Amino acid sequence: MVTGFERGEGTVKANKKELLLTSAVCLLPLLAGVILYPRLPETSRAATVFGLPLFILALHLVCSYAESRDTKRKNVNPVLRTVMLWFCPAVSLLGGALTLGTGLGYEMHVSTVAPVFVGLLFLILGNYLPKLRRNRTMGIRLPWTLASEENWSRTHRVAGFTWV
């Protein structure tokens, strides 16, 4: 007899909980924006408070849906999957902090924070790209990399080195 856990239902529940958590984190800047709404300048107040977090949440849900539809899910590195799931919430928190801080009149160093954030992302992804097995969701998915395991491995080894 096959139990629900052996069919992957335990994993599905864990994935749903993780998706709910990451989606809630995407919306934290919206909550902060609602609280700070009266103190923000009137120009682009609604777009900053509602538009940015909701757009990032929509992007997050699209990425999660695409990842969940992959037929070769077993080939996805769990660390890269976690990075993919937490990237949008991190961008939402960082973007929300920067835009709300700027709206409140604080000096926000976007020209320093954004490159450091992107650099850390490239370091993490570059470190794990060579370990990524061939799949249709993450990685450098070109016709010639998907056609051959050797092409996939070599391409991701070079890309990982380059990104780091």
Side-chain angles (χ1 to χ4, degrees):
M1 182 172 160
V2 177
T3 65
F5 189 75
E6 290 170 10
R7 286 192 313 254
E9 288 178 17
T11 305
V12 170
K13 280 186 178 180
N15 289 347
K16 284 183 181 180
K17 285 182 181 179
E18 191 172 30
L19 180 61
L20 284 172
L21 176 63
T22 53
S23 297
V25 172
C26 282
L27 294 176
L28 284 177
L30 189 142
L31 178 63
V34 167
I35 292 167
L36 298 170
Y37 200 81
R39 295 180 47 203
L40 295 170
E42 286 188 38
T43 56
S44 72
R45 181 175 13 189
T48 299
V49 172
F50 301 106
L52 184 63
L54 291 175
F55 174 75
I56 292 174
L57 175 63
L59 180 64
H60 174 59
L61 294 174
V62 167
C63 290
S64 298
Y65 177 77
E67 189 271 334
S68 72
R69 306 297 338 128
D70 188 2
T71 56
K72 295 184 178 186
R73 290 184 76 185
K74 64 184 178 293
N75 288 343
V76 175
N77 184 304
V79 174
L80 282 177
R81 183 185 174 281
T82 301
V83 169
M84 187 272 308
L85 274 176
W86 283 97
F87 175 73
C88 285
V91 168
S92 183
L93 290 175
L94 185 63
L98 292 173
T99 55
L100 292 173
T102 300
L104 293 172
Y106 294 105
E107 185 179 344
M108 305 303 285
H109 301 281
V110 178
S111 61
T112 302
V113 173
V116 168
F117 180 78
V118 172
L120 286 173
L121 181 66
F122 270 71
L123 276 171
I124 292 167
L125 292 176
N127 187 38
Y128 284 98
L129 269 179
K131 300 170 187 155
L132 187 63
R133 293 189 310 221
R134 192 168 50 162
N135 70 83
R136 297 199 170 272
T137 305
M138 292 183 219
I140 301 170
R141 301 161 312 162
L142 301 169
W144 61 85
T145 60
L146 291 171
S148 158
E149 190 67 44
E150 183 180 350
N151 286 344
W152 179 274
S153 288
R154 288 183 179 196
T155 300
H156 285 80
R157 195 174 315 127
V158 170
F161 177 78
T162 305
W163 285 28
V164 170

